[in-house]
Amino acid sequence: MAFESSAETERFLCERLLDAAQPIAERFRALFSLRNLRGDGPRRALLQAARDPSNLLAHEAAFALGQMQDAEAIPALEGVLKDLSLHPIVRHEAAEALGAIGLEKSISLLKESLAADPAVEVQETCELALRRIEGQKNASGAESTTISPYLSVHPALPAKQGLSVEQLRELLLNEQEKMYERYAALFALRNDGGDYAVSAVIEALGVKSALLRHEVAYVLGQLQNKAASDALSGVLKNVNEHPMVRHEAAEALGSIADQESIALLEEFSKDPEPIVSQSCEVALSMLEYERSGKSFEFLFLQTPQVQQES
């Protein structure tokens, strides 16, 4: 959903996002507000942020552009994907964003990066993005406009109805299966949301693919089921785990928000890996705003620049 905003509001948000002197949580507040806007200003700011020294912020900016499905961002996102000097988590998110935007003109670069990018997680994301674009092209009108119950654009459509939870579990955990089918099973299990479905999703934190593990942690954050707390805590504590997976585990624990999760986020806000420590900082800040009854996003705060939404 896009919101009307004044030029002053937009300028304030763009400046706050790009101000490296601001705490990371403050910059995320600006980012989350800008993704509700449209136009050259927000786009330029998010694209500049997609090359920020903070890999966490950079990847979130690329993710936001994908969620906005802003076709004008495609050339710059392609530049991010091709730039091997950027962290794999940022290149991965640029590839996912291109898939979310879903235009056929991105196919050639995605195929090139699928073959040439040295990071497996980026290769797998390119595979997903290509399948998503192809699927959108061939989908019926009803399928192509399907809206997620979680109001987000995902790398795969949920598996079609008719498969049992056990069949979906087997698909998700099958290391020989294509990544797109495993993602589709994951989102179908999330949409089911029952105890056995949640258990299957938790089990998938043990799959081989770091990309899939990170999406599993993301889904567990959406589900906000306390049954996942112990498994997610184990992921966050594992310093040998891929930072993109630990980052999603931290955010998921922030969504679950029990006392044990909060204590762990406080502990790992000092983690030596910035992607992890900053994720914990942002999660704790979001919780603080939520508990005080305020919105984390600037657009919903009463400030001189911004009128509070009713």
Side-chain angles (χ1 to χ4, degrees):
M1 177 179 181
F3 292 93
E4 295 292 329
S5 68
S6 67
E8 291 80 8
T9 299
E10 190 175 292
R11 185 162 51 251
F12 166 74
L13 293 171
C14 293
E15 289 175 356
R16 182 58 60 99
L17 171 65
L18 299 175
D19 184 355
Q22 291 291 328
I24 192 66
E26 288 296 298
R27 301 179 75 189
F28 263 74
R29 292 177 67 204
L31 192 158
F32 288 172
S33 296
L34 284 167
R35 69 185 180 187
N36 291 324
L37 303 180
R38 293 291 184 271
D40 290 341
R43 182 191 309 114
R44 283 197 304 269
L46 288 166
L47 286 169
Q48 188 174 337
R51 290 178 173 272
D52 195 85
S54 166
N55 293 317
L56 184 72
L57 187 79
H59 108 290
E60 193 70 30
F63 174 77
L65 289 160
Q67 294 299 297
M68 294 160 74
Q69 297 185 299
D70 188 342
E72 297 295 322
I74 286 176
L77 286 169
E78 289 179 340
V80 171
L81 175 56
K82 289 189 289 188
D83 189 347
L84 297 182
S85 72
L86 298 176
H87 195 285
I89 195 175
V90 182
R91 304 201 308 276
H92 136 75
E93 210 61 73
E96 185 172 304
L98 291 170
I101 295 168
L103 297 187
E104 291 182 53
K105 63 182 178 180
S106 298
I107 287 176
S108 60
L109 177 61
L110 287 165
K111 285 183 175 178
E112 179 184 322
S113 295
L114 173 61
D117 197 290
V120 173
E121 56 271 34
V122 179
Q123 296 169 22
E124 291 176 338
T125 307
C126 291
E127 176 192 334
L128 283 169
L130 286 164
R131 281 288 303 276
R132 189 182 191 282
I133 293 171
E134 190 66 27
Q136 288 289 106
K137 184 172 69 172
N138 296 328
S140 67
E143 287 178 320
S144 63
T145 57
T146 299
I147 298 175
S148 163
Y150 290 86
L151 301 179
S152 51
V153 182
H154 293 310
L157 289 173
K160 292 181 179 177
Q161 294 181 352
L163 295 178
S164 68
V165 170
E166 179 56 33
Q167 288 172 316
L168 292 169
R169 174 187 170 277
E170 289 175 1
L171 261 179
L172 174 60
L173 300 177
N174 186 350
E175 299 288 0
Q176 308 307 313
E177 189 59 76
K178 294 285 188 182
M179 189 60 68
Y180 189 91
E181 278 67 33
R182 299 176 80 183
Y183 262 62
L186 172 64
F187 294 131
L189 287 165
R190 179 204 61 188
N191 291 352
D192 178 282
D195 290 344
Y196 187 50
V198 172
S199 176
V201 175
I202 294 170
E203 190 177 356
L205 285 171
V207 300
K208 291 179 182 178
S209 166
L211 182 74
L212 183 53
R213 291 198 304 276
H214 111 288
E215 198 72 22
V216 167
Y218 172 78
V219 162
L220 290 171
Q222 289 185 314
L223 288 166
Q224 297 182 319
N225 192 311
K226 287 180 167 48
S229 293
D230 288 346
L232 289 166
S233 296
V235 171
L236 180 55
K237 291 175 183 177
N238 182 3
V239 296
N240 296 316
E241 177 59 275
H242 196 298
M244 72 190 300
V245 186
R246 296 180 69 209
H247 134 71
E248 290 293 357
E251 292 197 355
L253 289 167
S255 296
I256 292 170
D258 56 24
Q259 286 305 310
E260 294 79 5
S261 298
I262 293 169
L264 201 61
L265 290 171
E266 290 171 345
E267 177 185 349
F268 282 90
S269 65
K270 302 174 180 65
D271 195 271
E273 169 52 65
I275 292 172
V276 175
S277 61
Q278 292 177 358
S279 294
C280 294
E281 287 181 51
V282 172
L284 288 166
S285 181
M286 291 177 75
L287 280 170
E288 184 178 344
Y289 275 93
E290 183 179 320
R291 288 179 169 182
S292 67
K294 298 177 181 177
S295 169
F296 185 70
E297 298 178 26
F298 277 108
L299 279 180
F300 302 101
L301 290 174
Q302 189 75 37
T303 72
Q305 297 89 354
V306 185
Q307 291 298 312
Q308 187 171 358
E309 294 287 332
S310 58

PDB file of all heavy atoms in Angstrom, residues 128-143:
ATOM      1  N   LEU A 128      15.455 -19.457  -8.308  1.00  0.00           N
ATOM      2  CA  LEU A 128      14.103 -19.153  -7.834  1.00  0.00           C
ATOM      3  C   LEU A 128      13.488 -18.000  -8.629  1.00  0.00           C
ATOM      4  O   LEU A 128      12.314 -18.054  -9.024  1.00  0.00           O
ATOM      5  CB  LEU A 128      14.142 -18.774  -6.356  1.00  0.00           C
ATOM      6  CG  LEU A 128      14.290 -19.892  -5.338  1.00  0.00           C
ATOM      7  CD1 LEU A 128      14.590 -19.300  -3.968  1.00  0.00           C
ATOM      8  CD2 LEU A 128      13.028 -20.737  -5.277  1.00  0.00           C
ATOM      9  N   ALA A 129      14.278 -16.949  -8.844  1.00  0.00           N
ATOM     10  CA  ALA A 129      13.760 -15.777  -9.543  1.00  0.00           C
ATOM     11  C   ALA A 129      13.365 -16.130 -10.973  1.00  0.00           C
ATOM     12  O   ALA A 129      12.323 -15.670 -11.474  1.00  0.00           O
ATOM     13  CB  ALA A 129      14.806 -14.666  -9.535  1.00  0.00           C
ATOM     14  N   LEU A 130      14.178 -16.941 -11.628  1.00  0.00           N
ATOM     15  CA  LEU A 130      13.849 -17.363 -12.998  1.00  0.00           C
ATOM     16  C   LEU A 130      12.559 -18.167 -13.028  1.00  0.00           C
ATOM     17  O   LEU A 130      11.702 -17.962 -13.903  1.00  0.00           O
ATOM     18  CB  LEU A 130      15.008 -18.182 -13.573  1.00  0.00           C
ATOM     19  CG  LEU A 130      16.244 -17.368 -13.963  1.00  0.00           C
ATOM     20  CD1 LEU A 130      17.451 -18.274 -14.152  1.00  0.00           C
ATOM     21  CD2 LEU A 130      15.981 -16.569 -15.238  1.00  0.00           C
ATOM     22  N   ARG A 131      12.404 -19.073 -12.076  1.00  0.00           N
ATOM     23  CA  ARG A 131      11.175 -19.867 -12.009  1.00  0.00           C
ATOM     24  C   ARG A 131       9.971 -18.980 -11.715  1.00  0.00           C
ATOM     25  O   ARG A 131       8.881 -19.202 -12.256  1.00  0.00           O
ATOM     26  CB  ARG A 131      11.311 -20.950 -10.933  1.00  0.00           C
ATOM     27  CG  ARG A 131      12.108 -22.166 -11.342  1.00  0.00           C
ATOM     28  CD  ARG A 131      11.355 -23.056 -12.337  1.00  0.00           C
ATOM     29  NE  ARG A 131      10.065 -23.491 -11.836  1.00  0.00           N
ATOM     30  CZ  ARG A 131       9.885 -24.550 -11.045  1.00  0.00           C
ATOM     31  NH1 ARG A 131      10.930 -25.288 -10.667  1.00  0.00           N
ATOM     32  NH2 ARG A 131       8.677 -24.899 -10.640  1.00  0.00           N
ATOM     33  N   ARG A 132      10.151 -17.988 -10.863  1.00  0.00           N
ATOM     34  CA  ARG A 132       9.034 -17.103 -10.532  1.00  0.00           C
ATOM     35  C   ARG A 132       8.595 -16.300 -11.745  1.00  0.00           C
ATOM     36  O   ARG A 132       7.399 -16.156 -12.024  1.00  0.00           O
ATOM     37  CB  ARG A 132       9.412 -16.163  -9.382  1.00  0.00           C
ATOM     38  CG  ARG A 132       8.207 -15.377  -8.859  1.00  0.00           C
ATOM     39  CD  ARG A 132       8.560 -14.399  -7.764  1.00  0.00           C
ATOM     40  NE  ARG A 132       7.355 -13.895  -7.149  1.00  0.00           N
ATOM     41  CZ  ARG A 132       6.570 -12.954  -7.684  1.00  0.00           C
ATOM     42  NH1 ARG A 132       6.889 -12.407  -8.840  1.00  0.00           N
ATOM     43  NH2 ARG A 132       5.463 -12.553  -7.063  1.00  0.00           N
ATOM     44  N   ILE A 133       9.561 -15.753 -12.488  1.00  0.00           N
ATOM     45  CA  ILE A 133       9.229 -14.975 -13.685  1.00  0.00           C
ATOM     46  C   ILE A 133       8.532 -15.861 -14.709  1.00  0.00           C
ATOM     47  O   ILE A 133       7.523 -15.479 -15.311  1.00  0.00           O
ATOM     48  CB  ILE A 133      10.492 -14.327 -14.273  1.00  0.00           C
ATOM     49  CG1 ILE A 133      11.041 -13.265 -13.307  1.00  0.00           C
ATOM     50  CG2 ILE A 133      10.193 -13.698 -15.635  1.00  0.00           C
ATOM     51  CD1 ILE A 133      12.403 -12.713 -13.688  1.00  0.00           C
ATOM     52  N   GLU A 134       9.071 -17.064 -14.909  1.00  0.00           N
ATOM     53  CA  GLU A 134       8.461 -17.991 -15.855  1.00  0.00           C
ATOM     54  C   GLU A 134       7.058 -18.377 -15.398  1.00  0.00           C
ATOM     55  O   GLU A 134       6.120 -18.452 -16.195  1.00  0.00           O
ATOM     56  CB  GLU A 134       9.328 -19.245 -15.995  1.00  0.00           C
ATOM     57  CG  GLU A 134       8.918 -20.173 -17.120  1.00  0.00           C
ATOM     58  CD  GLU A 134       9.116 -19.566 -18.495  1.00  0.00           C
ATOM     59  OE1 GLU A 134       9.995 -18.705 -18.652  1.00  0.00           O
ATOM     60  OE2 GLU A 134       8.366 -19.947 -19.427  1.00  0.00           O
ATOM     61  N   GLY A 135       6.904 -18.610 -14.086  1.00  0.00           N
ATOM     62  CA  GLY A 135       5.600 -18.981 -13.546  1.00  0.00           C
ATOM     63  C   GLY A 135       4.581 -17.869 -13.689  1.00  0.00           C
ATOM     64  O   GLY A 135       3.411 -18.133 -14.006  1.00  0.00           O
ATOM     65  N   GLN A 136       5.012 -16.629 -13.472  1.00  0.00           N
ATOM     66  CA  GLN A 136       4.104 -15.495 -13.627  1.00  0.00           C
ATOM     67  C   GLN A 136       3.645 -15.371 -15.070  1.00  0.00           C
ATOM     68  O   GLN A 136       2.493 -15.052 -15.349  1.00  0.00           O
ATOM     69  CB  GLN A 136       4.804 -14.199 -13.198  1.00  0.00           C
ATOM     70  CG  GLN A 136       5.020 -14.071 -11.702  1.00  0.00           C
ATOM     71  CD  GLN A 136       3.733 -13.834 -10.948  1.00  0.00           C
ATOM     72  OE1 GLN A 136       3.202 -14.710 -10.277  1.00  0.00           O
ATOM     73  NE2 GLN A 136       3.206 -12.625 -11.056  1.00  0.00           N
ATOM     74  N   LYS A 137       4.561 -15.644 -16.005  1.00  0.00           N
ATOM     75  CA  LYS A 137       4.225 -15.528 -17.425  1.00  0.00           C
ATOM     76  C   LYS A 137       3.170 -16.561 -17.822  1.00  0.00           C
ATOM     77  O   LYS A 137       2.279 -16.277 -18.625  1.00  0.00           O
ATOM     78  CB  LYS A 137       5.499 -15.725 -18.260  1.00  0.00           C
ATOM     79  CG  LYS A 137       5.292 -15.525 -19.755  1.00  0.00           C
ATOM     80  CD  LYS A 137       6.606 -15.540 -20.506  1.00  0.00           C
ATOM     81  CE  LYS A 137       7.227 -16.931 -20.497  1.00  0.00           C
ATOM     82  NZ  LYS A 137       8.419 -17.012 -21.374  1.00  0.00           N
ATOM     83  N   ASN A 138       3.270 -17.740 -17.225  1.00  0.00           N
ATOM     84  CA  ASN A 138       2.380 -18.839 -17.610  1.00  0.00           C
ATOM     85  C   ASN A 138       1.150 -18.977 -16.715  1.00  0.00           C
ATOM     86  O   ASN A 138       0.263 -19.775 -17.001  1.00  0.00           O
ATOM     87  CB  ASN A 138       3.143 -20.167 -17.592  1.00  0.00           C
ATOM     88  CG  ASN A 138       4.258 -20.181 -18.615  1.00  0.00           C
ATOM     89  OD1 ASN A 138       4.146 -19.571 -19.668  1.00  0.00           O
ATOM     90  ND2 ASN A 138       5.348 -20.872 -18.305  1.00  0.00           N
ATOM     91  N   ALA A 139       1.125 -18.206 -15.605  1.00  0.00           N
ATOM     92  CA  ALA A 139       0.024 -18.359 -14.652  1.00  0.00           C
ATOM     93  C   ALA A 139      -1.266 -17.789 -15.211  1.00  0.00           C
ATOM     94  O   ALA A 139      -1.272 -16.875 -16.041  1.00  0.00           O
ATOM     95  CB  ALA A 139       0.371 -17.656 -13.334  1.00  0.00           C
ATOM     96  N   SER A 140      -2.359 -18.335 -14.740  1.00  0.00           N
ATOM     97  CA  SER A 140      -3.664 -17.760 -15.065  1.00  0.00           C
ATOM     98  C   SER A 140      -3.790 -16.422 -14.354  1.00  0.00           C
ATOM     99  O   SER A 140      -3.038 -16.110 -13.442  1.00  0.00           O
ATOM    100  CB  SER A 140      -4.779 -18.694 -14.590  1.00  0.00           C
ATOM    101  OG  SER A 140      -4.803 -18.751 -13.174  1.00  0.00           O
ATOM    102  N   GLY A 141      -4.756 -15.624 -14.769  1.00  0.00           N
ATOM    103  CA  GLY A 141      -4.956 -14.327 -14.143  1.00  0.00           C
ATOM    104  C   GLY A 141      -5.154 -14.428 -12.643  1.00  0.00           C
ATOM    105  O   GLY A 141      -4.619 -13.646 -11.879  1.00  0.00           O
ATOM    106  N   ALA A 142      -5.924 -15.414 -12.199  1.00  0.00           N
ATOM    107  CA  ALA A 142      -6.194 -15.570 -10.764  1.00  0.00           C
ATOM    108  C   ALA A 142      -4.922 -15.910 -10.010  1.00  0.00           C
ATOM    109  O   ALA A 142      -4.650 -15.389  -8.930  1.00  0.00           O
ATOM    110  CB  ALA A 142      -7.250 -16.657 -10.539  1.00  0.00           C
ATOM    111  N   GLU A 143      -4.103 -16.806 -10.603  1.00  0.00           N
ATOM    112  CA  GLU A 143      -2.865 -17.204  -9.929  1.00  0.00           C
ATOM    113  C   GLU A 143      -1.879 -16.053  -9.863  1.00  0.00           C
ATOM    114  O   GLU A 143      -1.232 -15.835  -8.836  1.00  0.00           O
ATOM    115  CB  GLU A 143      -2.220 -18.386 -10.668  1.00  0.00           C
ATOM    116  CG  GLU A 143      -2.941 -19.704 -10.490  1.00  0.00           C
ATOM    117  CD  GLU A 143      -2.264 -20.803 -11.306  1.00  0.00           C
ATOM    118  OE1 GLU A 143      -1.844 -20.543 -12.443  1.00  0.00           O
ATOM    119  OE2 GLU A 143      -2.149 -21.920 -10.784  1.00  0.00           O
TER     120      GLU A 143
END
